[in-house]
Amino acid sequence: MIVTTDQLYKVAYKKFAIGAYNINNLEQSMGLFRGCIQSKAPFIIQLSKGARGYTDKRMLEAIIRTAEVIFPEAIFAVHLDHGDEATCYDCIDSGFYSSVMIDASHESFDENIAITKRVVDRAHAKGVSVEAELGMLGGVEEDIKVDEGHACLTNPDEAVEFVKRSGCDSLAAAIGTSHGAYKFKGQQSLRFDVIEAISQKVPGMPIVMHGSSSVPIEEVQRINAAGGKLDPSARGVDENEYLPAAKLGVTKVNIDTDGRLVWTRVHREFFRDKPAEFDFRPPGKVFMQAYADFIAHKNEKLGSAGQLDAVQASVGG
Ligand code: G3H
Ligand code: 13P
Ligand code: ZN
């Protein structure tokens, strides 16, 4: 059942975090649904601009609508990840999306507010909620590369004004993470002081954590042992920090890179061990199961595992 993102936030806020997983294709979608059913977790499916253009945006919508029929017990929201203004309008007008993210964080403070407010007005008129970003994460956001020197943490005082003037429904905050596999050079930790300050100054506002992959060292080592060339010093977010962050108001946790690592590990190992194979279904089957297990594990760490009944009771479906 597709629900609104707000319905999920209402149940989760300050108790646990909802996993927001990017999907691009059929195998990833099957693994995601299976993993969430396996762990009895509500979830958010998110589609980036790149994912929508990978084949055809209608293909992803058809996959998700079909998965809803195949897995009637699943409860999830559908979200646009890192949208520009035009893509937000396309998603709002489609009637398919529960929420959109407008990412104008690279603009000036006032311009970010102005763009976000325009999207909020149009989204709210259609019952769609809006995630907006304040502060800048390092790494790559869609086509925009933010180098570490220009990344900046969200200022909690600015967050108060930003939320008030833009009318956004959730806040993507820069709290020490960055996108991709290479997040931390030295100390690996979230900025709990910033999370706490935002949640005190903007009470009730769900905080969204981008760049939440943990980049497990074992995964990197297995990929490299099967012919990969990833930087072995790559580090992500400590999974044991998800739940403490959730208790402080981090309600949506975006994970994409870790799923890509699962795909890479499965396929590299499969073809290393079976060099004579050329059928894509055997590794595809291994991947779907590995992806389901990965999702179920993440949901345990986020505290969303086992919460399906609570969400069902809350939405009254
Ligand atoms: O934050 C970005 C997400 O990982 C989506 O990546 O734009 O390559 O689909 P993508
Ligand atoms: P990762 O690159 O850490 O998986 O972050 C994904 C993300 O923030 C999607 O919006
Ligand atoms: Zn992101």
Side-chain angles (χ1 to χ4, degrees), residues 114-235:
I115 295 170
T116 303
K117 172 96 176 67
R118 285 201 293 274
V119 173
V120 165
D121 289 344
R122 190 140 151 193
H124 285 182
K126 292 262 176 96
V128 173
S129 62
V130 178
E131 173 184 324
E133 181 168 326
L134 180 65
M136 268 202 279
L137 283 77
V140 180
E141 295 193 351
E142 286 292 346
D143 305 329
I144 300 157
K145 169 130 180 57
V146 181
D147 63 49
E148 296 305 321
H150 287 92
C152 60
L153 296 175
T154 301
N155 175 327
D157 290 314
E158 282 188 355
V160 178
E161 188 184 342
F162 182 81
V163 167
K164 201 169 165 198
R165 285 175 56 197
S166 71
C168 68
D169 305 286
S170 59
L171 184 68
I175 49 178
T177 65
S178 60
H179 290 106
Y182 309 114
K183 301 183 193 299
F184 296 101
K185 288 202 176 73
Q187 177 75 17
Q188 173 191 23
S189 180
L190 299 178
R191 287 294 300 267
F192 283 100
D193 54 333
V194 179
I195 300 172
E196 203 160 3
I198 296 172
S199 120
Q200 270 168 11
K201 287 181 187 273
V202 200
M205 172 65 44
I207 299 169
V208 178
M209 179 159 79
H210 283 251
S212 315
S213 283
S214 57
V215 195
I217 183 68
E218 320 80 61
E219 202 75 318
V220 171
Q221 284 168 347
R222 283 177 71 174
I223 289 169
N224 287 350
K229 284 206 178 347
L230 300 183
D231 180 347
S233 69
R235 294 288 178 279

Side-chain angles (χ1 to χ4, degrees), residues 24-75:
N24 295 269
N25 65 14
L26 172 65
E27 288 80 3
Q28 217 181 4
S29 305
M30 284 304 278
L32 173 58
F33 277 83
R34 285 179 185 162
C36 287
I37 297 302
Q38 207 173 301
S39 55
K40 297 191 186 322
F43 60 105
I44 296 172
I45 294 186
Q46 50 185 17
L47 308 176
S48 70
K49 196 176 155 192
R52 283 163 44 94
Y54 172 52
T55 52
D56 186 302
K57 61 188 180 186
R58 290 169 297 182
M59 196 69 94
L60 287 178
E61 181 174 336
I63 288 174
I64 295 167
R65 287 201 188 280
T66 306
E68 192 186 8
V69 175
I70 298 170
F71 301 96
E73 62 276 59
I75 301 182

Side-chain angles (χ1 to χ4, degrees), residues 2-3 5 45-48 52 57 60-61 64-65 77-81 90-92 94-100 126-129:
I2 299 179
V3 297
T5 310
I45 294 186
Q46 50 185 17
L47 308 176
S48 70
R52 283 163 44 94
K57 61 188 180 186
L60 287 178
E61 181 174 336
I64 295 167
R65 287 201 188 280
V78 181
H79 176 81
L80 168 68
D81 189 28
D90 189 50
C91 293
I92 292 164
S94 75
F96 178 56
Y97 288 72
S98 318
S99 50
V100 294
K126 292 262 176 96
V128 173
S129 62

Side-chain angles (χ1 to χ4, degrees), residues 34-42 292 295-297 299-300 304-308:
R34 285 179 185 162
C36 287
I37 297 302
Q38 207 173 301
S39 55
K40 297 191 186 322
I295 293 286
H297 166 79
N299 291 339
E300 291 291 339
S304 63
Q307 298 288 348
L308 213 44

